[in-house]
Amino acid sequence: MVQSTGNKKVKTAVFISGTGSNLKSLIVFSKTKESPISVNLIISNKSKAKGLNYSKIFKIKKKVLDFKKKNLVLSERKLLSFLKKNNIKLICLAGFMIILSKNFIKKFNGKILNIHPSLLPKYKGLNTHKRVLNNKEKYSGCTVHFVNSKLDSGKIILQKKVKIKKNETENSLAKKILIQEHKLYPKAILKVFSL
Ligand code: GRF
């Protein structure tokens, strides 16, 4: 599993594509005494991702890479050498909308985590809240899991359940789950380091 060496924090890269509210919660967590990780890099496939602003705010290095299908091999090669150069030992995906290749995942085997806004193994993939509501589920939630080569299918680390109220909308459900995500990701990281 992931191990810290001595009292040094494990250098971590967070991958984002959008708002980066999970990124922010991870950065804030990483600055606490109990955190086994430090956030040293922010990676994005979108130069306009709002979350990239946290790079300036918290003085954390960032890198934007293309990741388009035809450039994926090259982007991942660049990324790997960049991660190595920065001594990154853990990757946290947080709203990163790119599917990484098997080869990349193998190179970081067991050291990539992801957060997904559903109670996996239910509702893998996109539009989770919409599908959950259409199916009239009573509960939904969020999951932090290890990343393997199949989408949203790696070993589950932690989950948090939320109750769906009458008149719940996609928006209200997304908001409610996001609040839980911000608590769950740090907790899951603590769990990973205690395994
Ligand atoms: C979160 O709901 C996460 O679970 C999903 O994408 C969303 C990202 O939100 N994978 P943010 O960018 O962290 O605010």
Side-chain angles (χ1 to χ4, degrees), residues 16-23 94-97 114-117 129 142 174 177-178 181-182:
I16 61 162
S17 299
T19 317
S21 67
N22 277 291
L23 162 67
F96 185 60
M97 302 305 282
N114 182 38
I115 187 150
H116 184 76
H129 307 311
C142 46
I177 291 179
L178 203 54
E181 289 185 38
H182 299 156

Side-chain angles (χ1 to χ4, degrees), residues 115-172:
I115 187 150
H116 184 76
S118 81
L119 293 172
L120 291 173
K122 287 175 109 176
Y123 304 101
K124 296 172 185 174
L126 296 174
N127 302 317
T128 50
H129 307 311
K130 192 177 186 176
R131 289 185 282 139
V132 162
L133 293 178
N134 283 345
N135 285 348
K136 310 219 176 316
E137 296 280 3
K138 289 199 170 70
Y139 294 92
S140 187
C142 46
T143 304
V144 177
H145 64 94
F146 287 106
V147 170
N148 66 11
S149 58
K150 282 195 198 135
L151 184 70
D152 300 328
S153 299
K155 191 164 183 265
I156 291 171
I157 301 162
L158 269 187
Q159 290 188 308
K160 176 73 187 179
K161 208 167 164 184
V162 305
K163 200 165 189 288
I164 296 173
K165 53 174 199 226
K166 273 189 201 157
N167 308 324
E168 193 86 68
T169 64
E170 264 182 70
N171 220 347
S172 66

Side-chain angles (χ1 to χ4, degrees), residues 55-132:
S55 152
K56 234 191 202 158
I57 297 171
F58 292 102
K59 298 190 173 52
I60 297 170
K61 236 189 242 181
K62 67 169 179 198
K63 192 166 188 73
V64 177
L65 286 160
D66 180 321
F67 289 107
K68 287 210 184 80
K69 248 195 184 139
K70 62 174 177 98
N71 299 329
L72 190 66
V73 175
L74 192 63
S75 293
E76 286 191 342
R77 207 176 292 154
K78 278 189 199 160
L79 179 59
L80 274 172
S81 79
F82 194 64
L83 295 175
K84 209 169 167 196
K85 214 163 98 191
N86 285 279
N87 216 6
I88 297 297
K89 302 284 188 234
L90 180 73
I91 293 173
C92 292
L93 307 182
F96 185 60
M97 302 305 282
I98 297 290
I99 297 176
L100 295 161
S101 74
K102 278 185 188 160
N103 180 48
F104 183 92
I105 292 167
K106 222 161 110 194
K107 293 234 163 81
F108 260 86
N109 199 11
K111 296 181 173 59
I112 310 179
L113 314 182
N114 182 38
I115 187 150
H116 184 76
S118 81
L119 293 172
L120 291 173
K122 287 175 109 176
Y123 304 101
K124 296 172 185 174
L126 296 174
N127 302 317
T128 50
H129 307 311
K130 192 177 186 176
R131 289 185 282 139
V132 162

